[in-house]
């Protein structure tokens, strides 16, 4: 029996206080509007850039019936000119104007090129303004000119397992009294408009629909039925790459699909911070370079990494005494303490020989679970 | 290095999208043996974001299990004790494959969808790529739609083909211009240049160079992959893709730079290595082979048929990250039809989607296992359809077919893969290798491929085909030796007929003659599976006299007799016809349980209790 194992588990963060750093990057080079040391709010615009408009290719030489290399001769506008949709940009005329062919601009935009290799003319739509907000309240720690602002804040921080909808912020309101309680529509009312509502183990579809109607900013809950989530987003989910759903609020599931009590630790952190303003982001990418949804609750106290009270989130290593949660049926959601980490392989119900961990559950019983099926939630 | 000709210990890893797998081989006496394996989650997640950590954890497990010291712990960085120092210390060779980071994601473009674009797909798939989209002049989309697709996808590499040498240049320039116009941004790094491989009409190269003369592109021109309409040469394009993959993509993934310095030969994409091993085996034996690698994110299919090798990667069909997508593409009913348990849709979906969001977990209950097996059948079935779509004779005429048809059934006459003449089916990947009973792998492979005639089925013992594939680069003989002796588990022969009938109708009369003179005779009925235990070491003579509506490879109603070998599962007589049709009513569960019982697929008590 080894007392420490390399049963690495990714684990989801749930910290009452840590130093959260957010790199607020522009998608392409642009302008950063804040400077180091500035205090920023959730909605402060920290940078902006202009994203090139979509290009439209017009097969001009083909339409005019001329050779591609001659296209410049027939252009009625110059590269760089602004044009409106329908404007004539090239024309061909012969036999004293009896034979005329014209090419019109397909969109409002700027003439970008007239290519003598292909005979094509490109009209590009006007650039689109993209603004990036601070997302969290905090202090600008660093500025990468033209590219990003780094915002730092001491905060309570919770990661979920999957989310839907993008970045939003609002005041936390806990709508249930226990982490295993169901969030149904009776627990939501008009006072939740603009707030981030915390549920317990499960949300009904009716509760989600009501949240949408009332105008809540976010719902954080242990689990939901996959069919209900698909009904909400309006399509069948294929891969876990989410965050762009247009559902009017941000939904974060902390545990998974089904009725699964929210981890006590996460629930308590949310409860303790009721009334504080939090940022939520449902963006999830379960792929290499995993992104999990998150709740960031900026705190007033100045905290630095390593200072007492701050917790650094890191690689999980299972040890005897570690508090873990089981993340697969039949014990999905159960919490317990590691009592043994046998080195040798054990046969489980499926008859698979696997490395296991023995866990004492909260009811005192001891169960054996594959090491792959746990996540660490504390030492 | 004095071990060059005579290594003693070899370590190989595969950095998968979900799990990093270490395999340890050593020379025992005069024979090469597989000694131990270690596995750990791949560490591309924050806060680690360094694949070498997962490699270290997997190798540490090998050390714990063997007592053989491999890791050099003198610094915080991953390092190995090399060369072998005697006793239980050190290794001589370290090789690795990888599919982490989402693998190699490519956009391919050609002029005509069924001609150059299809050849371009074959070249990219041959390099182990995942095809994100296929652009063609005749794909029915407007130029601005194509531009938006290119902008949105952010591929690792773009392959452009089109036109025969000396032929028309207009269209290939048009497709090049579309891509250049979109200025696609790569996935890694702002300063990164997007690699473009041009393998089209060689006379258009200068024009294409001008079109891509911007800072954001790194253009490589190689020989035309369709120099003439009836000739396809994918090797130069494929090699250029592999070079660029190493130079650009791998080097930018977290921790790869460190890993690349440690390997004895270049890191290969997992599907490329897997395919190389299967091809090497098929060539050495001169047989027709189908192979499947079931990954967490992708399903990879291989075929070596009449000397032609083809590898395809079905992106987003996999058993962990992509498991939800298999359900989406196949449909819930297609998955459910393989599960005889009384489970609600919500329960089946919860099992599948919870696996998707926690991809490194493994099934603990037989119910979970059975649901995963159902998904696996559908994943391979759809991946094989994709494969057959590309395993076709060269097309010189335009044929209407859209990319959305890719998972649809491919008609038999459209593919050159004749199921009657497939000698071997080889399965690999976590789900198959880790299947608690070999019979599970065998029936999954039979249900998914639905072979006809007499087909021998084997599987990877503990998932080491990619490891051995990359090893062939350095030590071909050692790799083949380990592959045949230690890696392949002979499951047995499946004997199946093409045709259809009503449940209970006669498919054929079967006689099995054992080497010791024993004879077994029985009548095989529609909807029935019969398994005869025959060890791998024994060769039996099987004679089938089929009913007139069934064909066991000699023709409908024609008697056939073959000498075949058994395996750990035995000889399976499949009377379900082709394609396998499952009834909609209550008969379905009863049939499934009868098949599972015949195969001895799950514990007797579970089958007897109807899954309770």
């Amino acid at each position: 029996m080894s007392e420490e194992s390399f049963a690495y588990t990714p684990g989801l963060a749930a910290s009452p206080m840590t130093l959260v750093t957010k790199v607020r990057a522009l998608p392409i080079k642009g302008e950063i509007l804040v400077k180091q040391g500035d205090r920023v709010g959730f909605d402060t615009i920290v940078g902006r850039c202009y994203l090139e408009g979509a290009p439209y290719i017009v097969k001009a030489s083909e339409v005019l019936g001329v050779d591609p290399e001659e296209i410049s001769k027939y252009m009625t506008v110059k590269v760089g000119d602004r044009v409106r949709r329908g404007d004539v940009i090239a024309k061909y005329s012969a036999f004293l104007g009896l034979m005329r062919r014209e090419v019109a601009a397909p969109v409002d935009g700027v003439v970008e090129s007239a290519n003598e290799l292909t005979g094509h003319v490109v009209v590009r739509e006007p650039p689109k303004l993209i603004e990036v907000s601070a997302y969290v309240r905090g202090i600008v720690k660093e500025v990468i000119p033209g590219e990003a602002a780094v915002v730092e804040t001491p905060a309570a921080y919770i990661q979920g397992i999957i989310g839907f909808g993008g970045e939003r912020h609002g005041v936390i309101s806990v709508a249930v009294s226990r982490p295993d309680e169901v969030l149904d529509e009776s627990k939501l009312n008009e006072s939740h408009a603009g707030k981030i509502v915390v549920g317990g183990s499960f949300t009904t579809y009716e509760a989600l629909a009501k949240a949408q109607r009332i105008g809540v900013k976010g719902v954080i809950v242990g689990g939901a039925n996959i069919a209900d989530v698909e009904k909400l987003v309006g399509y069948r989910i294929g891969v876990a790459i989410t965050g762009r759903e247009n559902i009017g609020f941000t939904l974060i599931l902390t545990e998974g699909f089904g009725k699964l009590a929210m981890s006590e630790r996460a629930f308590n952190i949310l409860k303790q911070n009721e009334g504080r303003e939090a940022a939520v982001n449902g963006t999830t990418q379960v792929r290499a370079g995993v992104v999990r949804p998150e709740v960031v609750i900026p705190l007033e106290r100045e905290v630095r990494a390593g200072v007492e009270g701050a917790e650094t989130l890191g690689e999980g290593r299972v040890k005897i005494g570690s508090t873990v949660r089981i993340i697969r049926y039949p014990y999905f959601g159960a919490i317990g303490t590691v009592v043994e980490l046998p080195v040798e392989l054990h046969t489980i119900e499926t008859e698979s020989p696997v490395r296991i961990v023995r866990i004492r559950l909260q009811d005192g019983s001891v169960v054996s679970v594959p090491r792959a099926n746990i996540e660490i939630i504390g030492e | 290095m004095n071990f060059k000709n005579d290594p003693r210990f070899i370590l190989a890893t595969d950095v998968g999208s979900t799990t990093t797998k270490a395999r340890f081989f050593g020379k025992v006496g005069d024979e090469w043996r597989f000694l131990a394996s270690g596995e750990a989650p791949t560490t591309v997640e924050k806060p680690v974001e360094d694949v070498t950590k997962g490699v270290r954890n997997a190798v540490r497990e090998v050390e714990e299990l063997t007592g053989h010291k491999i890791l050099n712990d003198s610094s915080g960085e991953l390092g190995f004790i090399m060369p072998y120092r005697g006793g239980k210390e050190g290794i001589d060779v370290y090789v690795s494959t990888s599919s982490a980071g989402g693998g190699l994601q490519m956009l391919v473009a050609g002029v005509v969808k069924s001609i150059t674009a299809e050849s371009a797909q074959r070249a990219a798939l041959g390099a182990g790529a995942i095809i994100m989209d296929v652009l063609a002049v005749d794909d029915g989309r407007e130029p601005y739609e194509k531009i938006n697709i290119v902008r949105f996808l952010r591929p690792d590499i773009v392959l452009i083909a089109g036109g025969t040498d000396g032929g028309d240049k207009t269209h290939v320039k048009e497709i090049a211009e579309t891509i250049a116009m979109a200025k696609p941004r790569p996935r890694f790094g702002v300063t990164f240049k997007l690699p473009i491989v041009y393998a089209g009409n060689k006379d258009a190269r200068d024009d294409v160079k001008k079109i891509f003369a911007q800072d954001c592109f790194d253009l490589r021109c190689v020989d035309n992959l369709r120099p003439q309409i009836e000739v396809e040469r994918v090797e130069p394009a494929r090699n250029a893709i592999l070079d660029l993959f190493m130079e650009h993509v791998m080097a930018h993934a977290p921790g790869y730079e460190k890993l690349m310095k440690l390997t004895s030969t270049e890191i290969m994409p997992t599907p490329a290595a897997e395919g190389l091993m299967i091809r090497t085996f098929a060539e050495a034996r001169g047989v027709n082979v189908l192979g499947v690698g079931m990954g967490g994110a992708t399903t990879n299919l291989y075929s070596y048929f009449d000397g032609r090798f083809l590898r395809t990667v079905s992106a987003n069909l996999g058993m962990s990250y992509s498991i939800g997508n298999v359900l989406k593409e196949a449909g819930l009913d297609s998955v459910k039809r393989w599960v005889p348990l009384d489970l609600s849709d919500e329960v089946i979906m919860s099992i599948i989607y919870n696996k998707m969001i926690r991809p490194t977990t493994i099934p603990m209950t037989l119910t979970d296992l059975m649901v995963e097996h159902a998904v696996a059948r559908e994943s391979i079935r759809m991946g094989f359809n994709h494969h057959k779509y590309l395993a076709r004779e060269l097309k010189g005429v335009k044929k209407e077919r859209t990319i959305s048809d890719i998972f649809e059934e491919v008609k038999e006459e459209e593919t050159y893969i004749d199921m009657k003449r497939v000698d071997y089916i080889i399965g690999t990947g976590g789900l198959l290798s880790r299947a608690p009973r070999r019979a599970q792998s065998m029936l999954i492979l039979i249900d998914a491929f639905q072979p006809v005639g007499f087909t021998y089925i084997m599987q990877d013992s503990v998932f080491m085909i990619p490891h051995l594939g990359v090893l062939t680069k350095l030590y071909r003989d050692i790799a083949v030796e380990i592959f045949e002796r230690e890696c392949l588990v002979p499951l047995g022969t499946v004997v199946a007929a093409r045709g259809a009938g009503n449940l209970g109708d006669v498919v054929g009369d079967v006689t099995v003659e054992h080497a010791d003179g024993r004879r077994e005779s029985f009548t095989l009925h529609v909807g029935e599976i019969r398994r005869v235990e025959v060890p791998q070491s024994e060769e039996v003579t099987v004679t089938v006299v089929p009913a007139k509506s069934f064909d066991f490879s000699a023709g409908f109603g024609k008697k056939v007799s073959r000498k075949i070998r058994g395996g750990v599962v035995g000889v399976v007589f499949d009377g379900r016809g082709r394609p396998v049709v499952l009834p909609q009513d209550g008969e379905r569960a009863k049939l499934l349980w009868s098949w599972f019982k015949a195969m001895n697929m799950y514990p007797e008590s579970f089958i007897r209790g109807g899954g309770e």
Side-chain angles (χ1 to χ4, degrees):
Chain A
M1 188 180 87
S2 70
E3 296 201 337
E4 186 170 335
S5 165
F6 288 86
Y8 165 92
T9 74
L12 297 175
S15 173
M17 191 180 291
T18 187
L19 200 59
V20 171
T21 303
K22 290 282 151 195
V23 178
R24 306 298 292 163
L26 296 170
I28 55 167
K29 280 223 171 194
E31 188 186 2
I32 297 299
L33 306 169
V34 291
K35 54 185 194 305
Q36 193 181 340
D38 280 359
R39 280 186 179 277
V40 288
F42 294 92
D43 291 324
T44 308
I45 301 298
V46 298
R48 67 173 165 230
C49 62
Y50 290 92
L51 199 59
E52 263 187 342
Y56 285 72
I57 298 175
V58 187
K59 296 178 179 180
S61 65
E62 215 174 293
V63 175
L64 299 183
V66 301
D67 289 337
E69 55 269 31
E70 294 180 322
I71 189 64
S72 300
K73 279 189 358 203
Y74 300 97
M75 295 292 291
T76 55
V77 291
K78 297 190 298 295
V79 168
D81 281 358
R82 284 184 179 281
V83 290
R84 296 194 69 83
R85 185 179 174 187
D87 286 356
V88 174
I89 55 173
K91 76 176 174 192
Y92 170 83
S93 151
F95 304 114
L96 299 167
L98 289 173
M99 188 183 188
R100 287 168 65 95
R101 292 194 198 102
E102 291 180 348
V103 174
V107 287
D108 292 356
V110 173
V111 179
E112 182 166 288
S113 65
N115 192 324
E116 293 187 350
L117 291 170
T118 57
H120 296 171
V121 175
V122 175
V123 179
R124 197 178 280 274
E125 284 186 328
K128 288 192 180 108
L129 174 67
I130 306 280
E131 290 186 327
V132 172
S133 74
Y135 170 55
V136 293
R137 189 178 60 227
I139 290 172
V140 178
K141 188 187 164 198
E142 191 188 344
V143 166
I144 304 160
E147 290 183 24
V150 182
V151 180
E152 191 179 80
T153 180
Y157 184 75
I158 293 165
Q159 278 181 319
I161 194 77
I162 189 165
F164 303 89
E167 296 175 351
R168 286 186 172 83
H169 66 91
V171 171
I172 291 178
S173 173
V174 183
V176 293
S177 51
R178 293 188 325 273
D180 59 355
E181 201 176 323
V182 172
L183 179 72
D184 58 28
E185 59 179 327
S186 71
K187 298 194 172 74
L188 290 171
N189 55 54
E190 297 297 328
S191 74
H192 289 114
K195 294 197 172 145
I196 292 178
V197 179
V198 178
S201 58
F202 183 76
T203 170
T204 62
Y205 175 75
E206 289 70 28
L208 292 172
K210 191 168 180 183
Q212 210 171 28
R213 241 178 8 252
I214 292 170
V216 306
K217 288 287 182 70
V219 173
I220 306 165
V221 67
N225 276 345
I226 176 72
D228 291 344
V229 173
E230 288 184 340
K231 196 168 160 192
L232 184 76
V233 300
Y235 55 85
R236 175 136 279 182
I237 294 159
V239 288
I241 296 175
T242 64
R244 301 170 73 93
E245 298 73 23
N246 192 18
I247 54 173
F249 66 97
T250 297
L251 171 65
I252 295 177
L253 305 183
T254 60
E255 315 305 316
F257 295 109
K259 188 176 175 185
L260 300 158
M262 184 184 290
S263 89
E264 196 119 1
R265 186 178 171 88
F267 186 79
N268 288 341
I269 292 169
L270 292 165
K271 184 94 188 148
Q272 281 155 16
N273 287 287
E274 187 163 18
R276 285 207 170 96
E277 198 156 19
V280 287
N281 186 359
T283 303
T284 310
Q285 185 175 313
V286 190
R287 280 257 152 153
V290 169
V291 178
R292 295 286 185 184
E294 62 180 12
V295 185
V296 185
I297 312 166
L299 302 171
E300 305 307 321
R301 281 175 53 188
E302 283 289 329
V303 185
R304 300 223 175 280
V307 172
E308 198 181 345
E311 287 185 24
T312 309
L313 310 170
E315 182 180 4
R317 183 176 291 184
V318 182
K319 295 177 194 154
I320 288 178
S322 296
T323 306
V324 295
R325 179 167 32 179
I326 304 171
I327 51 174
R328 186 105 193 199
Y329 296 116
Y331 307 112
F332 204 146
I335 290 167
T337 309
V338 173
V339 291
E340 200 184 337
L341 285 159
V343 171
E344 67 277 13
L345 301 174
H346 284 251
T347 302
I348 57 173
E349 182 193 313
T350 59
E351 303 180 325
S352 278
V354 295
R355 298 189 92 191
I356 58 149
V357 51
R358 288 213 170 85
I359 300 163
R360 176 167 289 117
L361 300 180
Q362 284 164 329
D363 65 4
S365 61
V366 174
V367 295
S368 298
V369 176
R371 291 188 189 184
N373 293 358
I374 56 165
E375 62 189 19
I376 302 173
I377 54 172
E379 291 296 305
Chain B
M1 287 184 279
N2 58 5
F3 66 85
K4 194 72 194 169
N5 297 317
D6 191 19
R8 289 285 309 276
F9 291 98
I10 295 170
L11 174 71
T13 56
D14 172 61
V15 183
S17 55
T18 318
T19 313
T20 297
K21 282 94 42 180
R23 303 292 179 256
F24 187 44
F25 308 102
K27 197 164 188 181
V28 180
D30 286 337
E31 292 180 345
W32 274 94
R33 288 287 163 91
F34 160 65
L35 301 175
S37 66
E39 301 196 355
T42 293
T43 41
V44 282
E45 285 211 38
K46 282 175 185 164
V48 184
E49 285 190 297
D50 180 351
V51 292
T52 63
K53 294 281 175 15
V55 171
R56 182 206 299 268
N57 292 345
V59 176
R60 183 80 72 199
E61 202 166 281
V62 171
E63 287 190 330
E64 281 183 16
L65 291 167
T66 59
H68 194 107
K69 187 122 186 58
I70 300 169
L71 292 164
N72 182 347
D73 290 322
S74 62
S75 76
E77 296 292 317
L78 175 69
F80 301 113
I81 300 167
M82 286 173 81
Y84 172 59
R85 290 180 184 167
K88 285 193 154 202
E89 201 177 348
I91 54 168
D92 293 316
V93 178
Y94 171 60
V95 291
S96 191
T97 56
S98 174
S99 59
L104 166 60
Q105 303 199 357
M106 286 186 65
L107 182 70
V108 302
V111 170
V112 181
K113 199 167 172 59
S114 63
I115 304 177
T116 42
E118 199 169 294
S119 293
Q121 280 191 74
R122 272 191 282 266
L125 291 164
I130 292 164
I131 309 263
M132 306 169 91
D133 205 336
V134 182
L135 301 182
V137 173
D138 67 341
D139 67 9
R141 294 179 285 200
E142 291 295 323
Y144 77 89
E145 289 178 279
K146 289 178 194 162
I147 288 166
N148 279 342
I149 286 163
V150 179
R151 293 176 100 187
F152 174 75
L153 288 177
R154 305 179 75 179
D156 295 323
I157 298 173
V158 179
L159 170 64
I160 302 171
T164 51
D165 286 346
D168 178 59
K169 300 189 284 185
T170 323
H171 296 305
V172 74
K173 286 191 295 186
E174 185 181 323
I175 205 90
E177 191 187 30
T178 305
I179 290 162
M181 201 59 66
K183 294 181 189 161
R185 288 180 303 135
R187 289 189 296 156
F188 303 107
V190 178
T191 56
F192 181 89
K193 290 184 176 190
L194 178 70
I196 309 267
V197 176
Y198 175 71
N201 181 352
K202 69 177 194 302
D203 300 338
R205 275 185 202 167
D206 287 341
D207 292 340
V208 169
K209 280 179 189 163
K210 282 180 202 157
I211 290 170
F212 287 109
Q214 300 175 54
D215 280 349
C216 49
F217 299 109
D218 177 5
L219 177 71
R220 307 278 168 101
C221 293
V222 297
D223 289 350
N224 191 349
L225 50 73
R226 283 299 276 270
Q228 297 157 41
I229 197 82
E230 65 279 10
V231 177
E232 180 181 270
R233 262 187 225 127
V234 296
E235 293 282 324
R238 199 178 69 194
N239 292 340
I241 293 163
L242 283 174
D243 287 349
L244 285 163
F245 181 55
M246 295 312 302
E247 280 173 44
H248 288 261
V249 185
M250 284 273 192
H252 285 82
Y256 275 106
E257 217 167 318
K258 287 191 264 179
L259 197 67
M260 282 159 78
K261 287 183 189 148
L262 296 171
T263 54
S264 309
T265 184
E266 281 182 346
I267 299 170
M268 279 179 86
T270 307
E274 219 165 56
L276 183 60
M277 191 67 247
I278 287 171
R279 180 181 189 164
T280 306
F281 167 79
E283 281 174 347
R285 292 243 183 141
V287 287
N288 290 333
V289 178
L290 288 178
V292 60
M294 297 218 64
T298 63
T299 295
N300 312 318
L301 267 295
Y302 312 95
S303 64
Y304 186 87
F305 201 87
D306 291 344
R308 276 195 275 198
F309 178 70
L310 178 67
R311 167 172 49 218
T312 56
V313 178
S314 294
N316 295 333
L317 292 183
M319 290 309 300
S320 61
Y321 293 101
S322 314
I323 192 167
N325 203 54
V326 178
L327 185 76
K328 183 180 173 183
E329 294 288 349
L332 181 60
D333 287 343
S334 294
V335 173
K336 260 173 70 176
R337 66 186 168 139
W338 300 110
V339 182
L341 303 169
D342 186 20
L343 300 176
S344 69
D345 291 358
E346 189 58 43
V347 167
I348 292 180
M349 286 166 78
S350 290
I351 291 170
I352 293 171
Y353 282 96
N354 279 318
K355 169 85 172 190
M356 173 183 81
I357 55 178
R358 289 191 159 100
T360 56
T361 60
I362 57 175
M364 258 187 89
T365 65
L366 285 160
T367 301
D368 275 28
L369 185 72
M370 201 174 262
V371 170
E372 287 199 9
H373 287 171
V375 177
R377 287 175 174 93
E378 288 303 303
S379 192
I380 301 174
R381 181 186 65 79
M382 291 189 292
F384 187 43
N385 275 332
H386 178 196
H387 188 83
K388 286 189 283 187
Y389 176 81
L390 290 160
R392 298 189 296 177
E393 301 299 342
L394 295 185
K395 291 283 186 294
V397 288
K398 189 176 161 183
K399 191 159 189 238
E400 290 300 325
R401 206 176 171 105
T402 68
I403 197 76
S404 62
D405 295 336
I406 212 149
F407 296 130
E408 297 296 316
E409 298 295 335
V410 175
K411 291 196 183 93
E412 256 175 55
E413 63 273 17
E414 285 187 54
T415 172
Y416 59 73
I417 297 173
D418 177 0
M419 293 307 287
K420 284 194 296 191
R421 294 198 298 114
V422 172
D423 301 300
Y424 289 89
I425 292 175
I426 299 175
T428 182
L431 179 123
L432 296 170
S433 301
R434 273 204 295 265
R437 293 191 181 194
R438 301 298 192 194
Q440 293 162 357
S441 306
M442 187 152 180
L443 193 60
I444 288 169
L445 292 169
I446 294 171
D447 289 345
F449 283 107
Q450 304 200 5
V452 176
F454 297 75
T455 316
Y456 201 69
I457 302 195
M458 296 190 284
Q459 77 159 81
D460 194 350
S461 56
V462 288
F463 187 70
M464 60 168 103
I465 293 181
H467 305 73
L468 296 174
V470 65
L471 187 62
T472 60
K473 292 269 192 190
L474 289 174
Y475 300 101
R476 188 180 179 277
D477 293 346
I478 295 174
V480 171
E481 184 187 334
I482 301 171
F483 184 68
E484 296 206 351
R485 186 187 302 127
E486 302 274 320
C487 168
L488 291 180
V489 178
L491 300 177
T493 300
V494 57
V495 182
R498 182 197 317 255
N502 294 320
L503 278 181
D505 285 357
V506 172
V507 176
D509 291 319
V510 181
T511 308
V512 182
E513 293 174 65
H514 292 267
D516 59 7
R518 275 183 303 126
R519 281 168 72 98
E520 284 180 69
S521 296
F522 56 87
T523 300
L524 186 69
H525 297 97
V526 173
E528 183 186 18
I529 286 181
R530 281 246 189 171
R531 186 172 63 92
V532 176
E533 289 200 7
V534 179
Q536 189 215 354
S537 52
E538 191 188 337
E539 199 174 55
V540 293
T541 303
V542 169
T543 305
V544 190
V545 182
K548 63 181 179 196
S549 52
F550 288 95
D551 168 18
F552 280 85
S553 78
F556 284 94
K558 291 202 174 141
K559 178 179 165 180
V560 60
S561 195
R562 285 271 190 99
K563 281 192 169 165
I564 55 169
R565 281 186 302 136
V568 293
V569 180
V571 178
V572 174
F573 295 90
D574 184 348
R576 300 175 299 172
R578 294 290 183 264
V580 174
V581 180
L582 284 144
Q584 292 292 322
D585 52 23
E587 283 293 305
R588 184 184 61 88
K590 222 167 92 185
L591 268 182
L592 282 166
W593 285 123
S594 75
W595 300 340
F596 297 166
K597 190 170 180 347
M599 294 295 291
N600 190 23
M601 196 151 152
Y602 299 104
E604 176 66 27
S605 55
F606 186 66
I607 293 177
R608 202 176 44 240
E612 291 300 317

